[in-house]
Each structure stands twice: as C-alpha cells, then as structure tokens.
C-alpha cells in the first residue's frame, strides 16, 4: 500500500475526531503500516514546535506520536490561533504570516496588512498549498489519516472549505463521520450531516463511527440498522466511553474551571501529604497541557481556578501561557488574583509562570504587537522586562535546572530582559517565584520531581514525588488505549479497505442535499 487515505470528520466540534484519528494511527502502525496524520486547517491555542522550528497544533503532534513518526509542518499546514472572538493569528507552514478577522479569512473583507501576504487574506487561496502538503505525505507514507474540523455540513463555509469535504473531494478520500452519542442526538446528527451535503460530497461519506457509548450496545443496534436504511451507509464501530485518557486537547478546556484537570485519576501520594496545584484560567489560555505532567504525579491534585479565594489552600499556583498577555494581566487584576499572587510571593509561597504567565510576573511589558497596549506594568514579582517583537520565537531548547536535564519548546513574541534573580531555564527565580518561557519542561521526569520537592519544601508539605513516574510512558499507554479502542470496537477490516481502495461505489444520495 502507498498513499492510502481516510478523512475522519465529525458531526460537531469535540465529537472525538482527534482521538479517533490518533487511535487509527496507533492501530495502523501496530500492523506495520507506515502512517502519518494530517489536518489541513486547525484552530487551537494548544500548539507545539517541531524539530525544524515549525509551529503546529498539539493534536497533530500527539497523532504523530501515535503514528510513531516525527511531527512536521506538512501535518498541519494552516494553524489559526485566536486572539479574540473575531480574529486569529494565521500560521502557515509553521510560521506566523499575519492577523486576520474571521470575515477576512473565510471570505469577504478584513484583515491587517501583514495578512495580505495570504494572497488577499482568503482561506480559499490556501487550498492548493494544503492539498500539496497532503499529496507530499501520501507520496511518502503508506497511509495518511486526515482529521476534519468542526462539521463538514457547515453549509455557510463550504465554498472555501480546505479541511473537510473540500480536501476529501480533491483527494478522493473516503470519509467516516464520528458522532458523540454521550451528548445525545447522534442519529439526527449523522443523518443531517449527510443530508446537507452536495451529491458529490455525499459520494465520499462511507459511513459512521459512534463515540463515547455507555451501556448495552445491543440496545443501540436497531437504531444503527434504521440509520443504514435511511442513508445506505453502515456504522463502522461503536467506541465505548473511555475515562481518564488525558490526551491533548485542541479546541479548548473541556472541564469546568473548578474541576480536576481533564479526567485525570489522582493516585495516592507516596508521602504523607498531597500537593494542591491551582492553575489560573487566564483568557486565551494556551498550552494548558503544560500541567498534564503535574496531574500525572501520584498525590498531585490539579485544578483550574478563576477566583482569588481558590488560591488560599494551593501549594503551587501556575500562571499558564496565553495569547493575550496584557489581557490576562488585566483579568488577574480585575478578579483580585493579582493581589493574591503578590501576597503569595511575599509569604514565600510557590508561584510558577510559564510563557505569557512568566511575562505577567515581570516588572514591565512593552507591547506594540499582540495587544498594541504599549507600556504596561507587570506584577513585579520577577526582575524581568518584556518587549514584544514582531517575529515569533519558535525553538526546541535543551538545558539544565535544579541539577536535572530539561527539554522544552518555545512559542512567544515577548523577548525577556532578565535583570536579576537566580537563573531558571531561560528565565529566573526569586524566592519561591519561578518564571520561564519553556513549555513542556515539566514533562522531563527528573526535573519535575526536583521541582516538586522544592515546592513541597516551600509549602511545608510532607509530599514526596513518586520515584518512577514516567510521563512519556504514561502518554504511550494512553495512545495504546486509543489503538485498542479501534482494534476492539471498530470494523478494522472495513476501515483498512476504505484506506486502501477509497470510497465505496454506489452510495445513495440522501435528500435534500446542499442548499
């Protein structure tokens, strides 16, 4: 097999496209098939830096890990990073090329002058580069598993679609539509999604995959039979609800602000105490996956917070990355969280700032790029002055901290001028306040354990890090679980035929079709 392919679409955002794509990739690679993930256009604040210095969505980096290949910009050629409800930074082939309004990107007028480098700032102009990336992957890999975005039946966006049926039709990809049955209405979603597509698009819809099912599958089967009668399309599997996967998110934070991070199961502590971590849920929060490694530690409880009183019992407060540093700073002040952080620092209670959170903890910010707010005072907890540069720093640094080797990745416009304190990665430390631009540093096991020992000592907790927690091994276990879900609950023979042979012939048209 060479150049086989499949598009995993969804009835809605968050239907499970990312994890199903990852699961199929892991199942295929376990069969000895060389596979790569692909998503033509992604909208996410959770991103990653490849080894060649390209920024892509973290979901595609996770899927590449599932496929046991190195992630590249080819796997996510267009990344949109929201900066507000109406505009996003456009990252093309791993590099930022401008800031555009939604109208300017999807069609119509709008967009700042840097975005004009996007051939007028129109999404449809990116179709050929996206298709070229897909074809390059298909020429290199046995199979490419593509992920759609949102729903393929977003009829207002079909004309300029470069990620769902537009790419499927151009590349003649069979499409499997995923629906989240846990939210209800999955039969209507499957039928309606199909019925709102043009005949040429419907020819590619091979069938459906039910996700997050709880209960007795035999009770579902009559509905699946009726769906087949109505659409002429079969269901390729019913995936059970799987708890505690903790796989990288794409569109946003799925849990409530005061819930535990994702569905993480907190193991009993090794020492006598647990360690409580509060993460400030700042606006436009990016790469909140940084705290996943903390949540994986036995005895560490991680929660997201938005009120000052929720910091009182926290042993560590994390101020995470954000696409809006100045906006996050104002939010912290409005909610009293800024004053609470200043009090913590004065009391010697631990605070960690990562990327935008690091910038917030500094003395001064000069921003004519992201917010265009000009000079803004930071919280003054670290002797750092930040100036926003037009160019973005994208790097995969390696260093040492607390006597341990550390790997990370950097994604930021802010340039930090560190004027004191103890060196800490690329940032500094003053007392129990740490700051760094490095995302992913806590995934380095030895460093994470050393850092948690420092936090426990400063917090006065008898917490002991587990000596054998391997975040990398836990992630591999999670990806294997996704592969198991596909292998055990999907018709893998039928999926493989789709990947190898393309869309089935003679699929019936479901009226009314696209308007």
């Amino acid at each position: 097999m060479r150049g086989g392919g499949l598009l995993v679409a969804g009835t809605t955002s968050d239907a499970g496209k990312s994890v199903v794509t990852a699961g199929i990739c892991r199942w295929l690679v376990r069969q000895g098939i060389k596979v790569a993930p692909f998503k033509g256009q992604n909208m996410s604040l959770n991103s990653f830096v490849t080894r060649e210095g390209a920024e892509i969505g973290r979901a595609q980096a996770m899927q590449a890990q599932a496929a046991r290949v190195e992630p590249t910009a080819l796997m996510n050629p267009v990344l949109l990073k929201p900066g507000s409800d109406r505009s996003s930074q456009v990252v093309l082939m791993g590099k930022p090329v401008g800031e555009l309004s939604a109208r300017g990107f999807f069609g119509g007028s709008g967009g700042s002058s840097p975005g004009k480098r996007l051939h007028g700032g129109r999404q449809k102009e990116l179709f050929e580069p996206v298709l070229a990336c897909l074809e390059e992957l298909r020429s290199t890999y046995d199979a490419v598993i593509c992920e759609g975005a949102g729903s393929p039946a977003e009829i207002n966006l079909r004309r300029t679609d470069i990620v769902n049926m537009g790419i499927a039709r151009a590349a003649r990809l069979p499409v499997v539509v995923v629906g989240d049955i846990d939210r209800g209405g999955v039969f209507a979603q499957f039928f309606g999604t199909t019925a709102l597509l043009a005949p040429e698009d419907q020819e590619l819809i091979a069938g459906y995959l039910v996700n997050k099912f709880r209960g007795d599958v035999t009770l579902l089967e009559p509905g699946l039979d009726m769906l087949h009668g109505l659409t002429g399309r079969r269901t390729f599997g019913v995936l059970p609800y799987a708890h505690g996967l903790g796989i990288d998110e794409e569109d946003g934070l799925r849990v409530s602000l005061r819930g535990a991070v994702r569905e993480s199961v907190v193991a009993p502590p090794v020492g006598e105490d647990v360690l409580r971590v509060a993460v400030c849920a700042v606006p436009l929060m990016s790469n909140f996956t940084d705290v996943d490694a903390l949540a994986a530690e036995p005895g560490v409880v991680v929660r997201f917070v938005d009120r000052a009183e929720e910091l009182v019992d926290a042993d560590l407060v994390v101020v995470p990355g954000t696409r809006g540093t100045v906006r996050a700073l104002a939010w912290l002040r409005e909610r009293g969280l800024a004053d609470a952080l200043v009090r913590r620092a004065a009391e010697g209670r631990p605070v960690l700032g990562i990327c935008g959170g690091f910038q917030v903890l500094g003395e001064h910010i000069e921003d004519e790029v992201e917010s265009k707010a000009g000079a803004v005072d930071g919280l003054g907890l670290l002797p750092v002055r930040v100036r926003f540069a037009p160019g973005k720093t994208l790097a995969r640094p390696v260093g040492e901290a607390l006597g341990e080797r550390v790997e990370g990745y950097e994604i930021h416009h802010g340039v930090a001028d560190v004027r004191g304190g103890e060196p800490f990665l690329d940032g500094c430390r003053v007392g129990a306040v740490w700051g760094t631009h490095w995302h992913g540093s806590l995934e380095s096991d030895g460093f994470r354990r050393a850092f948690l020992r420092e936090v426990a000592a400063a917090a006065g907790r008898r917490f002991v890090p587990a000596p054998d927690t391997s975040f990398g091994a836990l992630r591999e276990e999670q990806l294997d679980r996704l592969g198991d879900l596909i292998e055990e609950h999907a018709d893998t023979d039928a999926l493989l035929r789709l990947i190898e042979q393309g869309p089935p012939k003679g699929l019936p048209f479901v009226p009314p079709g696209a308007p």
Side-chain angles (χ1 to χ4, degrees), residues 158 197 337:
R158 176 62 184 91
L197 298 178
L337 288 159

Side-chain angles (χ1 to χ4, degrees), residues 47-59:
S47 58
F48 182 75
V49 178
T50 67
R51 294 207 179 278
E52 71 266 31
E55 185 179 8
I56 66 172
R58 269 200 72 108

Side-chain angles (χ1 to χ4, degrees), residues 265-269 274-277 293-302 452 463:
V265 177
V266 179
V274 299
L275 209 61
R276 295 171 176 83
V277 179
L294 295 179
E297 281 285 344
V300 176
V301 181
V302 179
L452 289 175
F463 169 84

Side-chain angles (χ1 to χ4, degrees), residues 118-139:
L118 291 180
H119 311 283
R122 303 298 179 93
Q123 181 190 35
K124 61 184 179 182
E125 300 294 340
L126 296 174
F127 182 77
E128 291 303 326
V130 166
L131 186 59
C133 289
L134 174 58
E135 291 309 315
E136 185 171 345
L137 288 173
R138 293 182 79 179
S139 71

Side-chain angles (χ1 to χ4, degrees), residues 37-42 55-57 60 72-80 90-95 126-127 129-134 137 162 167:
F38 177 80
K39 184 162 186 173
Q41 173 201 307
N42 198 348
E55 185 179 8
I56 66 172
Q60 279 60 65
T72 73
L74 291 172
M75 298 172 183
N76 181 205
V78 179
L79 173 63
L80 306 179
V90 181
V91 178
L92 177 62
M93 291 304 295
K95 305 296 180 184
L126 296 174
F127 182 77
V130 166
L131 186 59
C133 289
L134 174 58
L137 288 173
I162 64 173
I167 201 78

Side-chain angles (χ1 to χ4, degrees), residues 319-365:
V319 188
T322 171
R323 251 281 278 159
T325 298
V326 171
R327 179 176 168 183
L329 184 57
W331 182 87
L332 289 168
R333 286 180 167 135
E334 288 165 4
R335 290 177 170 265
L337 288 159
D339 290 339
L341 289 169
V342 171
R343 286 195 297 272
R344 285 186 67 90
E347 295 165 359
R349 303 179 66 200
V351 176
L352 170 64
I354 302 173
C355 200
F358 166 42
Q359 297 165 6
V360 160
L361 300 181
E363 297 171 344
H364 184 80
I365 297 169

Side-chain angles (χ1 to χ4, degrees), residues 152 155 158 165 168-169 172-173 175 192-206 231 233 503-515:
I155 53 180
R158 176 62 184 91
M165 301 314 298
R169 195 193 294 189
R172 297 304 299 170
L173 294 172
V175 179
T193 295
T194 309
L196 277 177
L197 298 178
E200 298 85 355
D201 289 343
Q202 288 195 24
E203 290 175 2
L204 305 175
I205 302 295
T231 67
R233 290 158 175 85
K505 305 299 183 185
L507 291 169
F509 172 70
V510 180

Side-chain angles (χ1 to χ4, degrees), residues 276 278 303 309-316 344 349 461:
R276 295 171 176 83
R303 66 185 190 274
E309 55 267 34
E310 293 176 295
L311 304 189
V312 174
D313 67 342
D315 302 308
L316 169 67
R344 285 186 67 90
R349 303 179 66 200
R461 294 287 185 189

